Amino acid sequence: PAASVRSSHFRVGRVRADVGRCSRSAVSALACRDRRCGVWIATRPPAISFWGRANRELSKMSTGTLDAELLKALQDESSLPRAVRGVASTLVDKLQETLSGIPEKAAKFTPPAHFGAGADRVASVKFVAPERVYLTGSVANGGCLRISPGTSSTVADVAVEVPKGYYAEKDYLDHRYHAKRFAYLQVLQQHLSRAKWVASVSISAHHGDIRKPCLLVTAAKTKDMCLRVLLTAPADTFPASRLMPDKANLRNLDEVEGERAPSPNYNQSILEDMFVEEHGKFLRDATGEVEYLEDACLLLKVWAARRGMLGAPDGFSGFVLSMLMTHLVTTGGKLSPLMDTQQLVKAALTLLSDPKVLSGGFSAAAQQPLGRWKRAFPFVLIGPCGSLNIGARVSKSAIAEFAHEAALSAAVLERGERTAFEQVFLSAMYPAVRYDVHLHVTLDRNMTSASGSCDADAVSWRGFETRVNEIATKALGSRAKLIRVQQQTFVNASDIRPALDSAAQPATKKRKASEADAADGSIDEEHFKIWVGIILDPDNASRLVDLGPSSDDDELAKDFRAFWGDRAELRRFKDGRICESIVWDAIPMHERHHIPALALEYTVKRNLDAAEEVDWSCNLLDAALKGKEGKIHEESSPKALVQSLDRLSKRMKELKDLPLKVVNVQPLSAAFRGTDPFPPKPHQLAFGAGIGMGRSDEHMSVCPKALDVLVQLEGSGRWPDNSMAINKTKAAMALKIAEQLRSSFAMQTVVAEEAIDVLHEGFAIRMHINSTAGGAKNEAAERHLICGAAHAGVIATVNLRFPAYGPATQVAKRWIAAHMLSPHFKGEVIELLMAYLFLHPGAFEPPTSREVAFVRFLDLLASHPWNVLPLFVDPAVEEDGDEGITADAMQELEKKMDEPDAPSMCVWTPYDSSGDVWTQVGPGAVVLKRAQVLASRGAERLKAILQGRNGMDASNAKNDAHAVRLGDDAAWESLFTPALTHYDIVLKLRRASLPFPEHALFTPKQIKRRLVKELGVDADGLLEAEHGNKRGLQLAKMPEKVLSRGPDKARAAMLIGFDPLRCFIREAERRLGGTALLFADEHGGDLVGVALKPSMQHHGAELPSSLADFDPLGDFSAPAPPGVEEIAEELLFCGVGFVIDAYKGVKWA
């Protein structure tokens, strides 16, 4: 809540207060914003254990006591205070006073065009003052949220009862009731707009239904509260029997079997105005009898709001949830009135997680048959009046979504984990992070309007949503676990918003219907889109064949071909069947994650005439992994690399003349486990003696990547005692293996003091000898190597279990590098963070697409309290928690994290009990804070791209005028473009000196434009500097002069595994002596950012100016901190031939 955010000064992980104080501040803490880093804690993924471990006093409490404290705090922060209820009552009194003063009068009225021809009979109306004005909804009945989802204020529903005499006897036909209702509402709007106590009044579409407008009234002195004025009618206004779901009250509908089609949705839209008071009394009576019912309704709404499910026009509204919970406890008898709040909600989620229970229907009226209701509506919840289906607006896809989320939440609560309450009720789980695939279907403006039409029984948008859901269900079949379809502007938003101009303004003589339709041309295209969210089945998502009906079934085969068109083909399968089928085998291996989206795009365009364009998310991040060359080599796939290593391992095990035999060869490099964004390509000089020069016309890299492997030797008791002797012995062993490979298999090897590389099938295999079988001393000397091998095994296992893990980790690594954080984050850390999301998804499904995994990764990085809370990654523990670590080990870990020199990140794994093997050298606290800010911004931007803009905030809409959308070419660039304005110095590197400049995300022209725009660099000076530095390292490709001397000379010129950028940064940091931090992109980036520390001090710096204060006759005094000019000159000197120029940041310009 906004008030709690403003008043909260809670700092994550720094509380050492008593339990009572912590419980009162719990939800404020989860919602608070760290102003220095701009991170919303409430957006973190649910699997992060915050309450229960971050505050170590609370962690000693039992699970039940902890949940009770959190529930109490959540209720205090989410429920509506009595004072606010009093404010609402005061505003209602003012509203009633204003409306009672409106005189009776007759006026001409022209109904809006969207009501159709039947409403034209309403040519004039006679206004009469309302009979009653009273509070209704959750403010009056209980269970009201303090802040309505999707808004920034409290919304209080106010019922304005229109007298029965205002309507004629037959006004329930052909939208006459709705037309008169709209005329009445316009009169109220005109008078309220002139009231002094009213700050603003606007028309809104209730539940997104253009037939049911309402007023949004904001008072001048209480702008944090909004009154939603709903027009109601007395219960006896029309005969309820004439408005049953099988009755036809719209004469423009087509006939079915000689009779006019029924209009169930239209009928319910009238009935829901007639029984508002009766339903409110039902809720008030129930909450008075059942002690915890009101709190249970509130908690269920919080649960739905955390998942962005309360604002959808076709979903479960807060009123529907309250009525459903009340029915289950009272008239339904499914839940016991003696249950407490958590028991009621847990039992309700368990019960409603069964789709059969939801589709079976509910009735709060005695002995009400549901047959005719179930034929008309997907979801049936008959109110106590016996004539109204409260769930008439709920669609099939909304039912499936609700059941799916309820099942996940019920499973987490059933496991009884320590963080179960947090995962289910406190964590934001919006559609962008829940659905694997997002599609945006743009409709033709000529076939619909932004606000919809009333030509059919339901509003036109509900018809489009239903049709798209039917197409998606049929096209995807078992590929999808869940499909959700809804109007894009209501995704994770609210229907409490001003209506579009074309909807709010009726057609008049001066403003004809054609002009109203033309106004749609100025409306943003987001209002003409349908959003489709898909949770994929990982076992079937990328299958290559969709089986259709047998060729013997003519009718089904005809329907199948009509649906799929030219994509359908008749095939004979190995088992002898002849079936219609859809085959996707022409799609390359690295693009097969596109298949679900391609299938849906094709079928929607073919079977939905109004579909104009279909954009999807499966290819959103592909460009980030292709680099400038724009292609992916299948020879570098993990499967191909492991097979190549198996063949080498077999040869090494066959070697006989070795002091110790080779027992096993284990892969270590990330390329073997599929987490390297740019795995090494086969090199033309690494295919054996004298061959390979003509295998490809591509440029040969001077510095091919090395693939690290661990060579395990058989045990021996004759290893030396000290580490230096062990290393020398291992080098001798590696030399012997290389010699045997050359003599036995004619394999080329490259011998150096640091390592020995074997050239095998186009790759450079770098051998690391493991001597741990020689005893404890050997094991202590090789701790880092042993952890690396254990890590490789863990990650390889995760990659095999989850197909999306490898590509998602590649994207995360590319994002870290793109934002120039490569020198500070080891690849192993990123792999573990991503593995955590797959192994411990909490109340989520494990990700099945790289997009949803990436956005969860950004949320985890941005919001985890790294300074106090370790991240526990254990493949053996399915549930989220610390079951894999003992209490004593946990205490030792906590003590270590409290030490002054403790690393800023602690990632616990079964092979690393200290949690710092990969984070000991970085990132530092400053770099981590910067990474969190970047991740928070990136997560919000990616969510907006996936979900689409909903237009809820007018101020953000102005700033977002040029925001990218799904399908734009610049969408991925907005996520991976680093900001240069925050650096004090930016170095420009020579691209020819980089081993793999083709991996860069941006072209030299794009880099040049950014330097000119962000840093004010002179374009002519930049061009001159580039042309004046042609001499220097040439590592991008092997010179032709060297290649002409033959393969042996060219092979000798290779620098296997050499990284000039890493060497430059290491040397620059040594020379600067701790005065600055350096940032760079290890994947082809040609910029280096330099950030000066606020209080710079020398620690062994080697700057020339540091000798200025040296007095030969006296004591040495510490030199003054260097200036930006001195540091820039030193970096240019250090990078001669590698650095083109240095540019000062904006604040130094």
Side-chain angles (χ1 to χ4, degrees):
S4 300
V5 173
R6 290 193 295 268
S7 63
S8 175
H9 298 282
F10 180 83
R11 293 288 295 136
V12 175
R14 296 302 184 190
V15 164
R16 294 295 184 268
D18 60 287
V19 171
R21 178 185 173 189
C22 290
S23 64
R24 289 193 301 271
S25 304
V27 179
S28 297
L30 292 173
C32 79
R33 184 183 178 95
D34 186 337
R35 296 180 180 179
R36 290 185 293 174
C37 66
V39 176
W40 282 97
I41 302 302
T43 61
R44 72 189 191 288
I48 299 175
S49 299
F50 179 75
W51 291 102
R53 282 204 299 263
N55 187 286
R56 292 167 188 169
E57 281 77 13
L58 289 179
S59 67
K60 300 175 183 178
M61 299 167 58
S62 64
T63 302
T65 306
L66 179 62
D67 290 351
E69 292 292 334
L70 289 175
L71 175 60
K72 183 178 181 299
L74 181 61
Q75 291 171 342
D76 292 342
E77 297 292 342
S78 300
S79 60
L80 197 65
R82 292 183 178 180
V84 180
R85 296 173 189 259
V87 173
S89 300
T90 303
L91 293 178
V92 171
D93 293 339
K94 290 184 178 181
L95 179 66
Q96 183 174 12
E97 181 181 354
T98 302
L99 299 183
S100 61
I102 304 176
E104 296 186 7
K105 62 178 180 179
K108 293 183 179 181
F109 173 70
T110 303
H114 57 257
F115 283 145
D120 292 343
R121 298 187 181 185
V122 184
S124 64
V125 295
K126 182 179 181 181
F127 180 85
V128 290
E131 290 190 355
R132 287 195 305 158
V133 178
Y134 59 94
L135 273 175
T136 186
S138 54
V139 174
N141 305 327
C144 180
L145 295 174
R146 177 180 299 194
I147 303 297
S148 297
T151 68
S152 57
S153 61
T154 302
V155 177
D157 289 336
V158 180
V160 176
E161 186 174 309
V162 181
K164 177 181 177 181
Y166 178 73
Y167 301 105
E169 182 181 358
K170 297 290 186 180
D171 277 352
Y172 59 83
L173 296 173
D174 298 326
H175 288 109
R176 298 178 205 168
Y177 168 81
H178 299 90
K180 285 188 175 183
R181 185 181 183 275
F182 184 67
Y184 197 96
L185 198 72
Q186 283 187 316
V187 175
L188 300 186
Q189 181 187 19
Q190 292 172 3
H191 285 267
L192 285 173
S193 62
R194 294 193 291 266
K196 294 182 179 180
W197 64 274
V198 175
S200 65
V201 56
S202 58
I203 291 183
S204 174
H206 189 41
H207 294 304
D209 190 344
I210 194 175
R211 292 182 297 204
K212 300 296 293 293
C214 61
L215 292 181
L216 302 180
V217 181
T218 303
K221 296 183 179 180
T222 56
K223 294 185 178 180
D224 55 349
M225 172 168 284
C226 174
L227 298 181
R228 180 165 57 176
V229 178
L230 307 173
L231 297 187
T232 65
D236 59 346
T237 302
F238 304 113
S241 59
R242 292 297 306 157
L243 295 171
M244 289 294 101
D246 54 354
K247 299 298 181 180
N249 292 313
L250 288 176
R251 299 177 182 178
N252 64 319
L253 298 182
D254 297 333
E255 293 187 355
V256 179
E257 297 180 357
E259 296 183 359
R260 186 175 292 111
S263 52
N265 291 282
Y266 170 84
N267 300 344
Q268 297 297 299
S269 69
I270 300 176
L271 283 170
E272 65 184 2
D273 288 348
M274 296 167 53
F275 295 101
V276 172
E277 185 176 7
E278 183 173 347
H279 293 149
K281 184 178 182 301
F282 175 73
L283 289 175
R284 289 191 297 272
D285 293 344
T287 54
E289 296 175 1
V290 181
E291 180 180 1
Y292 296 103
L293 179 58
E294 181 177 348
D295 293 338
C297 292
L298 178 69
L299 187 59
L300 189 61
K301 291 179 185 179
V302 170
W303 173 84
R306 288 283 190 263
R307 286 151 181 79
M309 297 193 301
L310 276 187
D314 67 330
F316 288 81
S317 65
F319 174 66
V320 173
L321 292 178
S322 295
M323 292 293 291
L324 181 58
M325 175 65 78
T326 303
H327 164 67
L328 294 177
V329 177
T330 57
T331 55
K334 301 290 185 180
L335 307 180
S336 171
L338 301 179
M339 291 180 175
D340 62 19
T341 303
Q342 292 189 60
Q343 291 173 337
L344 284 172
V345 175
K346 178 182 177 182
L349 291 176
T350 303
L351 177 66
L352 300 177
S353 62
D354 187 356
K356 294 181 179 179
V357 173
L358 283 172
S359 59
F362 307 91
S363 176
Q367 298 181 353
Q368 178 67 247
L370 301 180
R372 60 177 176 175
W373 298 93
K374 292 168 66 174
R375 288 190 294 270
F377 303 103
F379 179 72
V380 177
L381 173 58
I382 307 300
C385 64
S387 303
L388 173 65
N389 178 18
I390 297 171
R393 300 181 186 275
V394 182
S395 65
K396 286 184 178 180
S397 67
I399 295 173
E401 179 187 41
F402 188 93
H404 181 269
E405 294 301 319
L408 291 177
S409 299
V412 173
L413 295 174
E414 183 63 29
R415 290 199 296 265
E417 303 168 13
R418 186 166 184 76
T419 59
F421 187 91
E422 176 198 348
Q423 295 176 25
V424 174
F425 298 108
L426 299 183
S427 300
M429 303 173 63
Y430 298 137
V433 297
R434 287 193 287 117
Y435 290 94
D436 297 310
V437 180
H438 300 257
L439 288 93
H440 298 175
V441 181
T442 304
L443 302 183
D444 189 351
R445 291 173 181 250
N446 297 322
M447 301 184 68
T448 186
S449 64
S451 53
S453 62
C454 310
D455 297 334
D457 174 42
V459 180
S460 58
W461 278 104
R462 306 293 86 77
F464 286 126
E465 292 167 353
T466 301
R467 180 56 182 154
V468 172
N469 183 59
E470 293 172 352
I471 294 173
T473 302
K474 190 172 182 179
L476 298 179
S478 60
R479 293 183 190 272
K481 289 183 177 180
L482 174 65
I483 300 173
R484 180 71 171 103
V485 181
Q486 66 181 103
Q487 190 177 352
Q488 187 181 71
T489 51
F490 292 101
V491 177
N492 193 31
S494 172
D495 62 335
I496 306 172
R497 64 175 77 180
L500 299 174
D501 290 342
S502 59
Q505 300 177 14
T508 62
K509 291 182 178 180
K510 295 182 179 180
R511 186 176 187 271
K512 299 179 181 179
S514 59
E515 296 177 1
D517 295 338
D520 278 348
S522 62
I523 298 176
D524 192 272
E525 67 176 16
E526 300 293 331
H527 294 278
F528 294 89
K529 288 186 177 182
I530 289 178
W531 170 85
V532 183
I534 305 169
I535 295 181
L536 297 173
D537 184 344
D539 297 330
N540 299 313
S542 300
R543 66 167 181 257
L544 299 180
V545 179
D546 290 320
L547 282 178
S550 172
S551 59
D552 298 334
D553 195 329
D554 296 337
E555 185 174 351
L556 291 179
K558 183 179 179 180
D559 292 342
F560 186 84
R561 286 190 170 273
F563 182 77
W564 285 99
D566 297 337
R567 292 289 312 185
E569 56 181 280
L570 195 63
R571 282 204 170 196
R572 181 189 296 272
F573 294 89
K574 293 182 178 180
D575 57 1
R577 291 181 297 169
I578 301 177
C579 299
E580 298 286 350
S581 59
I582 309 296
V583 183
W584 306 92
D585 56 356
I587 297 178
M589 179 69 70
H590 63 274
E591 294 183 356
R592 288 184 178 173
H593 60 285
H594 298 176
I595 291 179
L598 289 172
L600 190 50
E601 178 186 13
Y602 176 83
T603 52
V604 166
K605 287 184 176 180
R606 176 176 174 81
N607 297 281
L608 184 65
D609 295 335
E612 190 175 69
E613 187 178 357
V614 179
D615 299 310
W616 33 276
S617 63
C618 295
N619 59 351
L620 175 62
L621 304 175
D622 288 359
L625 299 180
K626 293 181 180 179
K628 190 174 65 176
E629 61 181 0
K631 58 182 178 180
I632 296 177
H633 296 267
E634 300 296 342
E635 305 94 335
S636 302
S637 65
K639 182 178 180 181
L641 292 177
V642 171
Q643 290 176 347
S644 177
L645 181 61
D646 288 342
R647 290 187 287 270
L648 176 62
S649 174
K650 184 177 180 181
R651 290 184 176 183
M652 295 176 70
K653 292 177 181 179
E654 293 175 355
L655 300 177
K656 299 184 182 295
D657 298 333
L658 294 178
L660 295 175
K661 291 184 178 180
V662 175
V663 177
N664 188 29
V665 179
Q666 180 181 349
L668 296 180
S669 290
F672 288 110
R673 49 186 182 264
T675 59
D676 190 343
F678 299 101
K681 300 182 297 184
H683 198 280
Q684 296 89 327
L685 296 174
F687 283 93
I691 64 172
M693 290 288 288
R695 293 182 62 89
S696 174
D697 295 333
E698 297 179 0
H699 296 309
M700 296 186 190
S701 174
V702 181
C703 307
K705 290 185 177 181
L707 293 172
D708 296 300
V709 299
L710 184 68
V711 180
Q712 177 70 50
L713 302 179
E714 62 181 345
S716 173
R718 301 177 61 185
W719 284 90
D721 295 335
N722 61 79
S723 59
M724 182 178 294
I726 291 175
N727 291 334
K728 294 295 184 182
T729 305
K730 291 197 298 182
M733 291 288 184
L735 284 171
K736 190 65 175 178
I737 293 174
E739 179 185 346
Q740 290 293 316
L741 289 174
R742 282 197 302 269
S743 61
S744 301
F745 302 102
M747 299 180 65
Q748 293 294 317
T749 58
V750 179
V751 179
E753 184 176 355
E754 295 82 9
I756 295 179
D757 301 315
V758 178
L759 304 183
H760 173 67
E761 297 182 359
F763 301 101
I765 309 296
R766 177 158 293 179
M767 294 190 297
H768 298 272
I769 304 299
N770 182 13
S771 62
T772 54
K777 293 182 179 180
N778 298 46
E779 185 174 350
E782 297 180 358
R783 177 177 180 269
H784 199 274
L785 187 62
I786 295 172
C787 289
H791 173 84
V794 169
I795 299 302
T797 303
V798 176
N799 189 41
L800 289 175
R801 287 179 57 186
F802 304 102
Y805 171 79
T809 307
Q810 294 178 26
V811 172
K813 287 185 175 181
R814 192 65 192 93
W815 182 86
I816 289 288
H819 287 279
M820 306 172 71
L821 299 172
S822 298
H824 306 280
F825 281 84
K826 285 184 172 291
E828 290 82 358
V829 175
I830 303 171
E831 291 173 353
L832 289 174
L833 297 188
M834 188 64 73
Y836 176 80
L837 298 173
F838 282 82
L839 294 171
H840 311 294
F844 284 116
E845 289 272 6
T848 313
S849 72
R850 59 194 69 182
E851 295 80 27
V852 68
F854 179 52
V855 73
R856 293 186 196 178
F857 168 83
L858 294 178
D859 271 339
L860 173 62
L861 178 61
S863 55
H864 187 89
W866 298 104
N867 56 337
V868 294
L869 177 61
L871 195 70
F872 293 87
V873 183
D874 189 357
V877 179
E878 293 296 332
E879 297 84 7
D880 176 54
D882 55 353
E883 292 86 347
I885 183 173
T886 62
D888 294 338
M890 183 65 190
Q891 291 179 0
E892 291 296 326
L893 201 59
E894 291 175 355
K895 291 179 182 179
K896 187 172 183 179
M897 292 186 67
D898 290 336
E899 295 176 358
D901 58 344
S904 58
M905 298 179 72
C906 180
V907 184
W908 185 94
T909 56
Y911 62 82
D912 179 20
S913 58
S914 62
D916 62 354
V917 68
W918 308 120
T919 59
Q920 189 66 48
V921 296
V926 175
V927 176
L928 179 60
K929 185 67 68 175
R930 175 175 175 79
Q932 288 187 295
V933 173
L934 293 172
S936 177
R937 295 173 182 171
E940 295 305 315
R941 185 175 292 114
L942 181 54
K943 291 173 186 176
I945 292 174
L946 295 177
Q947 294 177 171
R949 295 183 298 153
N950 53 38
M952 290 300 298
D953 190 348
S955 61
N956 289 339
K958 294 179 181 178
N959 299 331
D960 234 8
H962 302 288
V964 294
R965 298 178 173 88
L966 189 64
D968 293 349
D969 294 335
W972 70 270
E973 293 183 6
S974 66
L975 300 170
F976 289 84
T977 302
L980 303 179
T981 55
H982 302 292
Y983 295 112
D984 298 290
I985 303 172
V986 176
L987 305 178
K988 180 70 170 67
L989 309 180
R990 298 179 67 253
R991 285 213 169 193
S993 299
L994 299 173
F996 305 101
E998 67 273 10
H999 294 168
L1001 286 176
F1002 305 103
T1003 63
K1005 290 184 178 180
Q1006 290 175 311
I1007 297 295
K1008 180 180 177 180
R1009 284 197 297 266
R1010 289 181 50 221
L1011 289 173
V1012 172
K1013 180 180 179 180
E1014 298 185 33
L1015 301 182
V1017 177
D1018 180 55
D1020 296 333
L1022 179 60
L1023 184 63
E1024 182 180 351
E1026 291 177 349
H1027 287 288
N1029 287 271
K1030 291 185 176 180
R1031 298 184 61 183
L1033 287 173
Q1034 298 287 340
L1035 302 179
K1037 63 177 181 178
M1038 189 76 71
E1040 293 293 338
K1041 185 180 295 185
V1042 177
L1043 293 175
S1044 63
R1045 297 176 183 175
D1048 292 334
K1049 296 290 184 180
R1051 193 176 292 114
M1054 289 195 305
L1055 303 174
I1056 298 176
F1058 175 61
D1059 188 351
L1061 178 62
R1062 185 177 301 173
C1063 294
F1064 168 74
I1065 291 178
R1066 183 167 57 245
E1067 177 65 14
E1069 288 178 341
R1070 184 182 68 84
R1071 296 177 71 90
L1072 294 181
T1075 60
L1077 294 173
L1078 273 68
F1079 301 82
D1081 180 358
E1082 65 179 352
H1083 298 300
D1086 58 353
L1087 297 178
V1088 175
V1090 182
L1092 305 183
K1093 294 184 178 180
S1095 56
M1096 296 184 295
Q1097 294 180 354
H1098 280 293
H1099 298 285
E1102 296 185 8
L1103 290 173
S1105 60
S1106 65
L1107 302 178
D1109 295 331
F1110 182 75
D1111 184 1
L1113 301 179
D1115 296 331
F1116 176 78
S1117 59
V1124 64
E1125 296 285 354
E1126 295 176 290
I1127 293 179
E1129 291 178 4
E1130 180 67 15
L1131 291 173
L1132 287 173
F1133 176 79
C1134 179
V1136 171
F1138 185 65
V1139 180
I1140 293 179
D1141 204 351
Y1143 308 104
K1144 290 186 293 185
V1146 176
K1147 66 180 180 181
W1148 300 101

